[in-house]
Amino acid sequence: MDMRELVNSWARRLPTWVVYLALAAPAPWLFFLAVTGGLGVDPVKALEHEYGLIALQLLIAGLCITPLRRYAGVSLLKFRRALGLLAFCYVVLHLLVWAVLDVQAFDRVWADIVKRPYITIGMTALLLMLPLAATSNNLSLRRLGPRWRQLHRLTYAVAVLAAVHFVWLRKGWQVEPLVYLLAILVLLGLRTVPRNRGRMVGRPSRDSRA
Amino acid sequence: VGLAGMAGAARAETDEPNSWEEITRYNNFYEFGTAKGDPVKYADAMTIDPWSVRIDGLVDRPGDYAFDDIMAKMAVEERIYRFRCVEAWSMVIPWNGFELSDLLDLAGVQSGAKYVAFETYLNRQEMRGTRFPVLEWPYVEGLRLDEALHPLTIMATGIYGRDIPKQNGAPLRLVVPWKYGFKSIKSVVRITLTDSEPPTSWNKANAREYGFYSNVNPEVDHPRWSQASERRIGGGLFAERLPTQMFNGYAGEVADLYDGMDLRKLF
């Protein structure tokens, strides 16, 4: 059995709830570490950063599903909803830690969102995720039909905004956030590669094929 | 005990020095990486023995001053200072060190000198963070001469009576307690007296965000975050923010250095 089939059969057998559970587990665990000193001497910033970073990683994982199917023949589509929903949950936790434990006052939270561009961008990304999270159920999928796919392309904007937020909040041009941004741009770039080169080149010959 | 006494007690409580672990395991020293835990992990590679400081420019006795010779002549004392990072966290650190003015006296400052430029050690083999152009290396900083000669300005050589660890800027570093932490340049190898304002690393990297003076000022925000309050390291996950004080609480000692200056423009 080759690698691709191995992964596919493994993915078929793995229940989705296991993925939900495994990816949700770091949230309470990190909080426990932060309370007990396991995240170092500045637990507020560490927890804020960890939740934000996991959210970004889950967004990137979600963006990998389509290219993996297309270029590697690996189908992990059944996990994509879990990745997206959990990314949303981690972003909300990220926001809560920042607002409640770091900034600590609603007027200052609002002032930061309005005044500081990198926070405005992060907040925009979160707001754009709201309709995605709200329509991530089967009912919405059926009701919206083809519009569901269009709507969920917002994920692309969310990922780019989240990565820019990360690049911008650091002092100086730091390597780590730039790597995340680059990964996202590559994953989005792969989607612009024509699905079938032959057909693209041969577009005028549509009639001749008939 | 009146109100003043109570306020004094509360102040003293928040000014309890941070622990050795907090001070030495949470550092910004970008030559060893940009994560707070990088310096303690990687600074061990830095050679600090032998060490000398080149003092040059507008001085009577320019030259390389060996660290041991400097220490033989300086009177080391303990100074417990608040330390306020531009990132809005803070600590209280019991430094051991001597006044910068005593070191400058060794070299003899000439009358034309108006500024002091500082430079950090640079060895790209030993400093893994310098592989990335986060800043232009070597790290450089500067003070106006009156700031440098102020009695609060020290060269620190120890913390809690022990030799200063490499991640904190061994074997000697500047400490200017009323300015944001990045002004307090680490592992100094060169001090140059000049007649013009010297370039400083963060100002070169982003002049809109980091000025030459960089005095702690709760009324002048960093463009990307408020400077009105700070997180005191060591308070845990649920600690309340503390209000940031003008000149980091040293206004009584240093405010007159800036009489007549617009601190919003000259931030």
Side-chain angles (χ1 to χ4, degrees):
Chain A
M1 208 194 287
D2 73 359
M3 194 63 193
R4 175 195 318 168
E5 287 187 30
L6 195 72
V7 173
N8 281 336
S9 76
W10 179 80
R12 268 195 300 276
R13 267 177 288 160
L14 184 72
T16 324
W17 65 263
V18 175
V19 174
Y20 273 106
L21 202 65
L23 295 179
W29 174 242
L30 287 165
F31 191 83
F32 169 77
L33 287 179
V35 173
T36 55
L39 289 188
V41 300
D42 192 5
V44 178
K45 270 288 161 215
L47 192 64
E48 191 176 307
H49 181 200
E50 291 289 345
Y51 284 160
L53 196 61
I54 292 175
L56 189 58
Q57 287 164 348
L58 290 172
L59 278 172
I60 290 174
L63 289 178
C64 286
I65 305 276
T66 295
L68 272 177
R69 195 173 46 165
R70 191 167 155 197
Y71 295 101
V74 170
S75 180
L76 301 172
L77 198 61
K78 69 185 251 207
F79 303 118
R80 193 162 64 182
R81 180 186 298 173
L83 294 173
L85 273 176
L86 283 162
F88 176 70
C89 291
Y90 277 99
V91 168
V92 170
L93 288 173
H94 174 65
L95 173 78
L96 285 175
V97 172
W98 171 71
V100 177
L101 299 176
D102 188 354
V103 183
Q104 299 178 358
F106 182 75
D107 57 329
R108 289 199 301 256
V109 165
W110 180 247
D112 272 359
I113 290 172
V114 179
K115 256 167 73 180
R116 325 258 175 227
Y118 84 92
I119 294 176
T120 315
I121 283 178
M123 202 62 211
T124 308
L126 187 147
L127 291 177
L128 291 179
M129 288 177 94
L130 284 173
L132 304 185
T135 58
S136 64
N137 50 72
N138 288 336
L139 186 66
S140 302
L141 188 58
R142 276 197 303 273
R143 285 223 175 129
L144 290 171
R147 279 176 302 155
W148 188 93
R149 283 182 61 121
Q150 286 173 343
L151 176 66
H152 280 250
R153 290 211 176 104
L154 270 180
T155 312
Y156 306 159
V158 170
V160 172
L161 289 173
V164 170
H165 166 75
F166 189 21
V167 170
W168 204 340
L169 68 91
R170 293 288 186 98
K171 276 159 60 200
W173 294 103
Q174 295 193 15
V175 180
E176 189 194 9
L178 287 171
V179 170
Y180 279 91
L181 179 60
L182 184 70
I184 286 166
L185 293 178
V186 168
L187 285 168
L188 295 185
L190 285 176
R191 286 164 162 80
T192 66
V193 178
R195 209 161 274 274
N196 182 335
R197 271 158 207 260
R199 200 189 293 167
M200 273 301 278
V201 173
R203 187 175 275 169
S205 66
R206 205 176 195 190
D207 297 334
S208 68
R209 224 195 302 152
Chain B
V1 182
L3 268 178
M6 303 255 301
R11 184 82 254 155
E13 205 171 282
T14 55
D15 284 351
E16 190 69 26
N18 282 90
S19 70
W20 171 263
E21 281 69 32
E22 286 160 358
I23 297 167
T24 61
R25 305 185 69 81
Y26 185 87
N27 307 96
N28 277 329
F29 198 161
Y30 279 12
E31 283 86 335
F32 297 105
T34 51
K36 294 287 184 294
D38 283 341
V40 67
K41 259 187 266 175
Y42 304 119
D44 204 40
M46 177 166 65
T47 307
I48 57 165
D49 190 19
W51 191 276
S52 64
V53 182
R54 170 162 296 177
I55 306 181
D56 58 6
L58 300 170
V59 290
D60 297 329
R61 293 171 291 280
D64 293 317
Y65 289 76
F67 179 69
D68 293 337
D69 295 343
I70 293 172
M71 289 303 275
K73 293 194 179 83
M74 293 293 123
V76 172
E77 54 180 301
E78 185 180 67
R79 296 280 182 98
I80 302 175
Y81 283 158
R82 284 177 292 276
F83 184 93
R84 172 61 155 79
C85 179
V86 72
E87 297 164 2
W89 55 266
S90 64
M91 294 194 192
V92 177
I93 305 177
W95 302 104
N96 310 97
F98 49 84
E99 290 183 15
L100 173 61
S101 67
D102 290 340
L103 178 62
L104 296 180
D105 279 347
L106 275 190
V109 177
Q110 293 180 350
S111 59
K114 291 196 185 84
Y115 293 89
V116 189
F118 303 85
E119 190 179 308
T120 294
Y121 177 75
L122 176 61
N123 180 319
R124 287 175 194 276
Q125 269 76 52
E126 297 176 2
M127 300 168 130
R128 68 206 312 273
T130 59
R131 280 181 276 171
F132 308 106
V134 180
L135 291 169
E136 198 182 318
W137 317 108
Y139 193 85
V140 291
E141 256 309 332
L143 295 173
R144 221 169 51 191
L145 185 62
D146 57 346
E147 298 174 323
L149 297 179
H150 194 282
L152 283 178
T153 304
I154 60 168
M155 296 302 291
T157 55
I159 295 170
Y160 274 116
R162 297 158 67 172
D163 285 348
I164 195 166
K166 290 179 180 177
Q167 64 270 25
N168 293 80
L172 82 168
R173 64 167 294 173
L174 182 69
V175 177
V176 194
W178 71 92
K179 292 176 179 283
Y180 292 120
F182 67 85
K183 294 293 292 182
S184 293
I185 183 171
K186 298 186 177 82
S187 302
V188 172
V189 292
R190 187 171 180 190
I191 299 175
T192 308
L193 280 290
T194 68
D195 58 2
S196 58
E197 188 180 290
T200 60
S201 282
W202 279 104
N203 182 254
K204 279 194 289 183
N206 192 340
R208 207 175 68 86
E209 298 190 352
Y210 309 98
F212 174 79
Y213 287 96
S214 292
N215 293 314
V216 175
N217 189 340
E219 283 149 34
V220 177
D221 282 349
H222 185 280
R224 285 182 287 145
W225 54 83
S226 163
Q227 295 291 27
S229 62
E230 61 202 55
R231 275 173 298 117
R232 177 62 56 79
I233 297 299
L237 191 61
F238 306 107
E240 244 185 275
R241 293 179 81 95
L242 300 175
T244 291
Q245 305 177 73
M246 189 65 203
F247 295 112
N248 203 22
Y250 301 96
E253 289 86 350
V254 302
D256 59 343
L257 294 177
Y258 308 101
D259 277 347
M261 278 173 58
D262 181 352
L263 297 179
R264 287 189 175 275
K265 271 191 196 131
L266 298 166
F267 57 87

